[in-house]
Amino acid sequence: DARVTQTPRHKVTEMGQEVTMRCQPILGHNTVFWYRQTMMQGLELLAYFRNRAPLDDSGMPKDRFSAEMPDATLATLKIQPSEPRDSAVYFCASGMGTGLNTEAFFGQGTRLTVV
Amino acid sequence: KNQVEQSPQSLIILEGKNCTLQCNYTVSPFSNLRWYKQDTGRGPVSLTIMTFSENTKSNGRYTATLDADTKQSSLHITASQLSDSASYICVVSPTPNQAGTALIFGKGTTLSVSS
């Protein structure tokens, strides 16, 4: 069945290292979201794309985070350099629609630990 | 400031019992309100979506209500099952035409159903 696929599922890295998380949205979906979830803050929207173009990345720390969609089947979220406060679960979600009111289908997340 | 507050923070109930989770929001104007269920280690899954003009929406044993005047929503679970043990997250979308719009997430209610 169709689902959003995220890799890796778990990542442990040292502070200062580059981290790249990947997401394969559901085929045919035109909107892709990146979220971060922590115990303290809950779910936060980092960025979202429609038709591969970034529409809003205001939730993302620009100095170290970057999000791209090289093609319709791949979205990436990169952190360089990583810091311990980046430790969280990062979710990718995809949907069909016109932006934030799009129904979002979530992947299983990447659990990132920065030590 | 736009906020979404959920209560209780956690809840333990016996299998077969009913329960109600609360969501109060200060987002105004708003476009829609969603309830998500998140199992441990998984991504959130949408249960219901309601626009400001809808009062109630059901999905099996889950029934969401919305009072746009008091800015309150509730999620009622009937005849709870062990598989209902999860975190339930309330999400409010501001009117989509606002610049810099972002989804407003509650921190969730953790429900534990015991036998």
Side-chain angles (χ1 to χ4, degrees), chain B:
Chain B
K1 179 181 177 184
N2 287 334
Q3 286 186 312
V4 175
E5 300 286 344
Q6 291 188 244
S7 62
Q9 188 173 9
S10 61
L11 182 61
I12 301 174
I13 62 173
L14 288 175
E15 186 179 14
K17 297 296 186 183
N18 303 336
C19 68
T20 301
L21 314 180
Q22 299 290 342
C23 174
N24 296 341
Y25 61 93
T26 60
V27 180
S28 182
F30 94 108
S31 178
N32 62 61
L33 184 147
R34 315 168 190 214
W35 283 94
Y36 282 91
K37 178 187 178 190
Q38 185 175 20
D39 292 315
T40 302
R42 310 294 291 259
V45 174
S46 178
L47 293 175
T48 63
I49 301 177
M50 290 183 291
T51 65
F52 65 91
S53 61
E54 294 179 289
N55 298 120
T56 186
K57 183 76 68 82
S58 290
N59 179 357
R61 293 180 297 103
Y62 301 100
T63 300
T65 63
L66 174 64
D67 185 334
D69 292 331
T70 62
K71 295 184 171 55
Q72 294 180 325
S73 177
S74 64
L75 180 69
H76 187 74
I77 304 175
T78 303
S80 61
Q81 300 176 359
L82 297 178
S83 59
D84 293 330
S85 296
S87 180
Y88 293 83
I89 302 170
C90 175
V91 184
V92 178
S93 299
T95 302
N97 291 333
Q98 291 178 340
T101 298
L103 298 175
I104 315 296
F105 291 85
K107 288 190 169 57
T109 292
T110 300
L111 174 66
S112 298
V113 181
S114 61
S115 56

Side-chain angles (χ1 to χ4, degrees), chain A residues 5 28 32 35 63 71 91 96 108:
Chain A
T5 303
V32 174
Y35 294 90
D63 56 338
D71 61 61
F91 288 102
M96 271 299 293
Q108 297 202 59

